[in-house]
Amino acid sequence: MLYKKLAASTEKALNEQVQLEAESSQYYLAMASWAEVQGYNGIAQFLYRHSDEERVHMLKLIRFINDRGGHGIVPTLKQPAVTFKNILEIFELVLSHEILVSTEINKLVDHCLQEKDYTTHTFLQWYVAEQIEEEKMATQILDKLKLIGEDKGGMYIFDRDMATLQTEDRR
Ligand code: OFO
């Protein structure tokens, strides 16, 4: 084994994060599908990309756990929401979900410091930085939606622009 084996408690905590990243991917996939059916094709494309990125976040964790002598567990996923009130609600949910993920990442970082597991601590810094970007992106999108309000023309342009908006990613 190349690396010092993960402590059982760290392996468990990382696998819980695998679950959360997988749930994030499913959640955004459900939002993407709903937006597409409602005719918001640009927003749907953005959310499909976001869902794919969350799956990559999950994979990075699984590979890391396995590289460190643990076992990355592919989780069972619960059914995400099927319908949403409107686009504003979707991005409010995205922001609150990302804040939840950031909280969990911070708990993991804290756990690593307590365990003196500096390798996992370093690995997690990528997620810390990613969460800052994701919270910022969701906040900026919400600001735009609040400016648009009930303006249908504004929403048309917003939807068009979202087709090409890059989800932040440092891979
Ligand atoms: Fe995995 O970055 Fe958002 O949740």
Side-chain angles (χ1 to χ4, degrees), residues 34-47:
W34 180 86
E36 189 166 48
V37 168
Q38 304 303 312
Y40 295 108
N41 291 325
I43 294 166
Q45 283 181 50
F46 172 86
L47 289 165

Side-chain angles (χ1 to χ4, degrees), residues 7-164:
S9 61
T10 309
E11 180 178 349
K12 181 171 177 291
L14 287 170
N15 268 317
E16 283 166 7
Q17 191 62 31
V18 166
Q19 166 112 29
L20 188 53
E21 299 291 346
E23 283 171 0
S24 304
S25 180
Q26 286 288 92
Y27 198 20
Y28 299 154
L29 185 58
M31 291 174 180
S33 181
W34 180 86
E36 189 166 48
V37 168
Q38 304 303 312
Y40 295 108
N41 291 325
I43 294 166
Q45 283 181 50
F46 172 86
L47 289 165
Y48 281 128
R49 284 197 300 278
H50 204 6
S51 169
D52 285 346
E53 285 192 1
E54 297 298 351
R55 183 171 185 280
V56 172
H57 298 174
M58 174 194 71
L59 284 173
K60 281 169 80 92
L61 281 157
I62 288 175
R63 303 293 305 274
F64 179 80
I65 295 166
N66 292 346
D67 282 349
R68 295 281 312 280
H71 184 182
I73 304 298
V74 177
T76 304
L77 296 175
K78 59 179 193 282
Q79 165 84 58
V82 175
T83 58
F84 300 89
K85 202 161 65 184
N86 52 34
I87 296 298
L88 181 66
E89 185 195 38
I90 281 188
F91 285 99
E92 282 170 348
L93 291 171
V94 169
L95 179 60
S96 57
H97 187 73
E98 291 301 335
I99 290 170
L100 167 76
V101 173
S102 300
T103 305
E104 295 305 313
I105 292 284
N106 289 340
K107 282 189 205 161
L108 257 177
V109 169
D110 193 45
H111 172 88
C112 291
L113 288 175
Q114 283 172 32
E115 291 286 323
K116 296 192 177 4
D117 181 346
Y118 301 116
T119 309
T120 305
H121 180 270
T122 300
F123 168 77
L124 287 172
Q125 294 313 300
W126 183 90
Y127 287 84
V128 171
E130 179 70 9
Q131 285 310 122
I132 295 169
E133 292 299 329
E134 295 205 354
E135 284 186 36
K136 184 178 86 183
M137 182 178 61
T139 303
Q140 287 174 341
I141 291 170
L142 274 176
D143 286 347
K144 280 190 192 145
L145 283 170
K146 283 172 191 156
L147 276 176
I148 291 165
E150 297 298 312
D151 177 358
K152 288 199 165 71
M155 185 54 101
Y156 178 86
I157 293 167
F158 173 80
D159 180 58
R160 189 193 62 193
D161 290 352
M162 288 294 279
T164 52

